[in-house]
Amino acid sequence: MNAVLYTVTVFIWGSTWLAIAFQLGDTPVVVSVGWRFAIASIVLLVLLRIRNALPQLSIENHKMAGLLALCLFSNNFLFFYAATEYLPSGLNAVVFSLAPIFNSINLWILEKRRPSSAFIQGALTGFIGVVLLFSSQFLSADMDITIFLGLGLSFMGTYFFSMGNIVSARAQKQEMPLLPTTAWSMGYGALYLLIIALVMDLPLAIPETPTYLSALIYLAIIGSVIGFNTYLALVGRIGAAKAAYCTVLFPLVALSLSTLFEGYEWTWLSAAGVILVFSGNMRVFGFHEPIVRWCRSYSS
């Protein structure tokens, strides 16, 4: 079952980055994200009601759902959507693949779990990989501040996502029901975003173009209702750190789609950067150890 959840999450979230890019334009980011989670919350709540699987949550549970909304269903996506205005969606996904490293840092700060030397080596390798990925922009004569702005926004989105992982893991340890908690969290996230839009006097209307509407429905139903629940189910089954393994594979899907639909151009430096990002994550999680043992046994 874990393998199924893992595979579904990788392919769904690997493709959502391109759908996010299709939503960019005249519609404010806060409005697009707000409607995405409003639709997702309504659909999930209706499905749970039909199945008679919508228990009443306690006040403490709703507080936890509100905290999860701020981390996982609002602020993180504000940063991710905004970053996609300055970065190809595939590169945004590569930065997001550093989420396991953010998880380890947050667990170190919050739960005093000191990282190992393997983590430090992997984190440095991954960071160098990100620098190489954007090296062509750094070296470009016409480079401007937007590349740094896009990187900063993407890093902030990844940080909020990481905090959401930890909140969700704690909620599930307290035996909060996964689907109802997710449904309410998405609703709270949508309410928070739409209130921001109203305060900023932004129009809540959305474009009626086929591209925008199809991206919105895909992100709300496939990316949110299905994608988030498969991922959070993994968090509950195997823990936040191991569940974040799948973020390492998102860029493979996202960069492939970005190359096909956004005209992303590869260089030898960007290819080396992707390899280093993957290698860094593999080092953090010990993926290299079976290979090392196999090589030692073969050589002996």
Side-chain angles (χ1 to χ4, degrees):
M1 186 61 182
N2 289 345
V4 174
L5 293 172
Y6 187 94
T7 302
V8 170
T9 303
V10 167
F11 279 98
I12 288 178
W13 277 5
S15 63
T16 55
W17 299 99
L18 185 62
I20 288 173
F22 286 157
Q23 283 201 308
L24 298 178
D26 296 331
T27 306
V29 168
V30 66
V31 174
S32 290
V33 183
W35 281 117
R36 169 182 176 174
F37 287 115
I39 295 171
S41 176
I42 292 170
V43 169
L44 192 51
L45 286 171
V46 168
L47 289 175
L48 290 171
R49 175 62 68 185
I50 291 173
R51 293 172 50 195
N52 197 26
L54 189 60
Q56 286 193 346
L57 301 183
S58 68
I59 297 298
E60 290 301 316
N61 288 162
H62 278 286
K63 289 180 181 179
M64 187 70 79
L67 182 58
L68 188 60
L70 293 176
C71 295
L72 211 55
F73 300 121
S74 59
N75 289 316
N76 60 323
F77 278 97
L78 288 180
F79 287 111
F80 285 139
Y81 274 64
T84 307
E85 295 187 29
Y86 307 104
L87 305 176
S89 60
L91 291 185
N92 206 6
V94 171
V95 176
F96 180 64
S97 74
L98 298 177
I101 294 174
F102 279 80
N103 283 353
S104 297
I105 293 173
N106 283 328
L107 288 172
W108 183 16
I109 295 172
L110 298 174
E111 300 184 6
K112 309 305 180 185
R113 299 186 192 178
R114 186 177 180 84
S116 64
S117 59
F119 163 79
I120 296 173
Q121 295 165 11
L124 289 174
T125 302
F127 177 77
I128 293 171
V130 170
V131 171
L132 288 180
L133 265 171
F134 293 92
S135 59
S136 59
Q137 285 90 343
F138 294 149
L139 299 175
S140 174
D142 58 355
M143 187 199 78
D144 55 33
I145 195 65
T146 58
I147 184 65
F148 294 103
L149 178 58
L151 270 173
L153 291 168
S154 192
F155 274 118
M156 285 301 299
T158 305
Y159 176 78
F160 271 103
F161 173 83
S162 172
M163 290 301 297
N165 279 223
I166 294 172
V167 172
S168 179
R170 289 185 176 180
Q172 293 185 62
K173 284 182 180 178
Q174 295 174 14
E175 298 184 349
M176 289 177 59
L178 175 62
L179 292 180
T181 300
T182 303
W184 282 109
S185 294
M186 288 180 175
Y188 289 143
L191 182 62
Y192 164 73
L193 292 168
L194 295 177
I195 288 174
I196 291 177
L198 290 173
V199 170
M200 296 176 65
D201 198 26
L202 299 174
L204 299 183
I206 58 176
E208 297 180 2
T209 62
T211 299
Y212 184 95
L213 291 177
S214 59
L216 177 61
I217 297 302
Y218 183 84
L219 289 168
I221 306 302
I222 307 299
S224 299
V225 174
I226 298 176
F228 265 104
N229 282 297
T230 56
Y231 179 76
L232 294 178
L234 270 179
V235 171
R237 293 168 69 94
I238 64 177
K242 290 183 178 179
Y245 289 177
C246 57
T247 63
V248 179
L249 298 181
F250 292 163
L252 291 177
V253 179
L255 282 172
S256 299
L257 294 174
S258 185
T259 302
L260 289 173
F261 294 100
E262 296 180 305
Y264 176 69
E265 297 182 0
W266 288 85
T267 66
W268 70 270
L269 283 174
S270 62
V274 171
I275 292 172
L276 286 177
V277 170
F278 290 157
S279 299
N281 279 283
M282 290 174 67
R283 177 60 174 157
V284 167
F285 291 124
F287 287 170
H288 67 293
E289 293 176 0
I291 299 174
V292 171
R293 287 196 298 268
W294 181 84
C295 291
R296 287 175 177 173
S297 63
Y298 185 79
S299 61
S300 61

